[in-house]
Amino acid sequence: MTIRQLPDTLINQIAAGEVVERPASVVKELVENALDAGARRVDIDLEEGGVRLIRIRDDGKGIAADELPLAVSRHATSKIASLDDLEGVTTLGFRGEALPSIASVSRFSLSSRRIGEDRGAVLEIDGGRLGEVAPKPHPQGTTVEVRDLFFNVPARRKFLKAERTELGHIEEWLRQLALARPDVELRVSHNGKPTRRWKGEGDQIDLGLSDVRIGEALGEEFARNALRVDHSGAGLRLHGWIAQPAYNRASADQQYLYVNGRAVRDRSIAHAVKQAYADVLFHGRQPAYVLFLELDPRRVDVNVHPAKHEVRFRDARLIHDFVYRTLHDALAETRAGTLPSAQTGEAGAGYGADASAAAPPSQAGMYQYRPTAPLALRVQETQAGYAALYGNNGGAGGGASAGSYAGGSGAGAGYTGAGSAYAAAPALPHSDDETLPPLGYAVAQLHGIYVLAETAEGLIVVDMHAAHERIGYEKLKFAHDHEGLRTQPLLVPATLAVSEREAEVAEREEATLVALGFEVTRAGPQSLALRAVPALLAHGDVEALLRDVLADLREHGESRRVGAARDELLATMACHGAVRANRRLTLPEMNALLREMEATERSGQCNHGRPTWARFTLSEIDRWFLRGR
Ligand code: ADP
Ligand code: MG
């Protein structure tokens, strides 16, 4: 065969192979164009899952009639003009290949009226065959119609799935776009019926900052359990929402990451998030989050993927660390009492459920986490202090507080009776101006497993063993962090057979390895001599640990594996040290436990990621008895 230049249409069809995978990719490209054109409202009409028709209309700045043919020609764009522009791209598009690619595999029409012009125009293209520009009335903005996608590419058409599936992909793309742009209204219809309306929230909304839209996109359950993150440093800003650990998923289906407003997948950041959750998430479960990373566009290369699903960072290591630290610090604040508790409604979620069904709201959602804000209440009182408090306040306090409790909740005199029913139990200590601790005061122990506590809002139930385990674990970690890492020399150095690459990493990262407690030298092209190991882990499989550490260092430039292995060991120790079920606790002991929970980082979940506490508000309890209906 001789070498020949391919015709334009075929070139576009080849490009379409990368850019246009399915109807959802068309919707993505066209809506992104509308957003780049400054649209405030975008209408998306679909038929048969987008295969028969995708029509996208926007009220953006439009395209001049004489530029319509240019818009659909290859490598034509208004968004960049030079390499310098490419290196600092701020628009979603810049490659100038979406419209020609889509037009080459469909029956395509582009109608528009440019801002400031009084006539609109249309250009039709059939499977890549360009028509003539004709006048056509059109409001300011642009309409793109894509009919019979892949009608001329049977091989592609065969891979299309059922209407519902394709529609599902489109909806997921739109959700992703909608999360980032709550300022824009999106209206969707399918087969002539309106199916979704994302209401625009005006211009005041900071990128991705709408509570309403987050609830619409990911459900009320996510919104209620979301922890707001906003942290800046080193020229980076990370903000958005992360679900507190008790809300988790079986799959990674609620993980949204945006870099400068563009939805992307990034292994390194996903890894950083996973590590931040490592200590608080139930094994095998996935965290949920919507995170926006913002940085100087010159520090990120967006031109690495034809469909722009990925980016490349100039300083990936710094960003990994920044994301890890920000989220780790935010998650440290998941103390019992300060955040929404484990879900207690019919959804009965706990750690195992996807918590998709709505549970009765126990608190208004959206918790603000600000790294600069003072830490949550730290209770200093000792166990003895509480004993004294109860000793002084006992019976008299019971009556008085039952009264003020009922008054405060507005639930009426009925509760005064209820209060006196736990005659022997000291209820809320008398306090007019003092604010109550978030977990309240213990009133009883149930079956030797649960502590019941009374708060101003209702009832708190604590899993005593789970809570104690976390407190012990955090104490052990704290002690070890401050003691520094001890190294234990091996009597006989171990020789480790490794790959050449691993050996090179070990040599290069010698200082890092020493800091982690390993003394390693190269013994040959494919072998290492291991002379000392982290003391605490000396009895485990240190060789396997070292191999994993080397793999991490190679892939991510850092490793938290030694820390993780140490934590695992400390967690086991804490578990054995924690109060066993069926141990009777005295009230002062129970109160001491509650106060320690409030003061301990991550105490909202046990070492295995299960919740340690649940809250029942008085109004929830009222509903059990059909009160107030
Ligand atoms: P890119 O978005 O990478 O520039 P496209 O092929 O998607 O490439 O679009 C080509 C050009 O057509 C854009 O640069 C823009 O000038 C114009 N364009 C496309 N869609 C719209 C729209 N909805 N509103 C205004 N201009 C548009
Ligand atoms: Mg584009």
Side-chain angles (χ1 to χ4, degrees), residues 149-170:
L149 186 65
F150 300 139
F151 79 96
N152 54 350
V153 195
R156 260 296 154 98
R157 215 185 156 89
K158 272 215 306 264
F159 283 101
L160 291 176
K161 299 279 188 293
E163 178 173 309
R164 276 254 43 101
T165 312
E166 296 303 339
L167 186 63
H169 285 290
I170 292 173

Side-chain angles (χ1 to χ4, degrees), residues 29-38 56 58 60-63 67 70-73 76-80 92-101 110 112 114 141-144 308:
E29 292 293 340
L30 298 182
V31 176
E32 287 188 348
N33 278 347
L35 295 175
D36 281 345
I56 311 253
D58 69 61
K61 62 179 191 271
I63 307 171
E67 288 195 350
L70 211 50
V72 295
S73 54
T77 178
S78 56
K79 298 171 192 175
I80 58 168
L92 293 166
F94 56 85
R95 297 170 64 99
E97 58 183 357
L99 294 189
S101 304
L110 174 64
S112 192
R114 175 82 181 169
T142 304
T143 303
V144 180
K308 295 162 288 193

Side-chain angles (χ1 to χ4, degrees), residues 367-623:
Y367 292 79
Q368 184 85 24
Y369 165 68
R370 277 177 252 94
T372 47
L375 292 180
L377 172 77
R378 278 196 192 272
V379 182
Q380 303 294 348
E381 283 87 343
T382 58
Q383 191 164 322
Y386 277 89
L389 181 65
Y390 280 103
N392 296 341
N393 227 352
S401 62
S404 66
Y405 181 14
S409 68
Y415 289 104
T416 315
S420 53
Y422 358 102
L428 305 178
H430 179 75
S431 59
D432 291 327
D433 42 18
E434 235 178 281
T435 43
L436 292 174
L439 295 179
Y441 294 102
V443 289
Q445 189 180 16
L446 199 65
H447 293 282
I449 301 171
Y450 300 108
V451 171
L452 307 186
E454 187 181 14
T455 64
E457 287 84 34
L459 172 71
I460 299 278
V461 181
V462 164
D463 180 334
M464 182 177 104
H465 174 74
H468 199 241
E469 192 181 89
R470 169 61 75 173
I471 292 166
Y473 175 40
E474 293 294 329
K475 278 187 184 155
L476 284 174
K477 280 198 292 184
F478 187 82
H480 276 270
D481 286 346
H482 286 256
E483 179 178 290
L485 197 110
R486 280 205 313 260
T487 299
Q488 180 171 316
L490 297 180
L491 289 178
V492 185
T495 311
L496 214 62
V498 294
S499 73
E500 212 164 315
R501 258 170 93 190
E502 283 173 319
E504 276 156 19
V505 174
E507 255 183 337
R508 194 179 62 229
E509 301 276 357
E510 196 193 327
T512 316
L513 290 171
V514 167
L516 294 174
F518 290 105
E519 206 181 293
V520 186
T521 50
R522 191 154 183 176
Q526 296 188 325
S527 76
L528 295 173
L530 182 57
R531 298 175 193 284
V533 299
L536 197 62
L537 304 172
H539 301 292
D541 188 348
V542 272
E543 292 184 12
L545 181 62
L546 177 60
R547 275 179 217 282
D548 288 347
V549 167
L550 290 175
D552 284 347
L553 288 177
R554 211 180 65 207
E555 196 177 347
H556 303 291
E558 56 128 44
S559 177
R560 279 176 218 283
R561 248 174 237 275
V562 172
R566 179 206 73 163
D567 286 354
E568 213 172 289
L569 190 79
L570 296 183
T572 312
M573 287 163 59
C575 181
H576 293 306
V579 281
R580 294 276 131 213
N582 294 322
R583 230 202 75 201
R584 285 280 150 203
L585 297 185
T586 63
L587 280 173
E589 282 175 325
M590 290 185 234
N591 280 311
L593 178 66
L594 297 177
R595 301 294 80 81
E596 281 210 88
M597 285 176 76
E598 287 158 358
T600 301
E601 291 184 340
R602 291 171 282 274
S603 63
Q605 45 282 315
C606 79
N607 302 352
H608 315 287
R610 286 186 285 261
T612 54
W613 69 297
R615 179 200 329 253
F616 299 88
T617 62
L618 265 190
S619 56
E620 276 171 272
I621 297 171
D622 285 345
R623 281 202 292 271

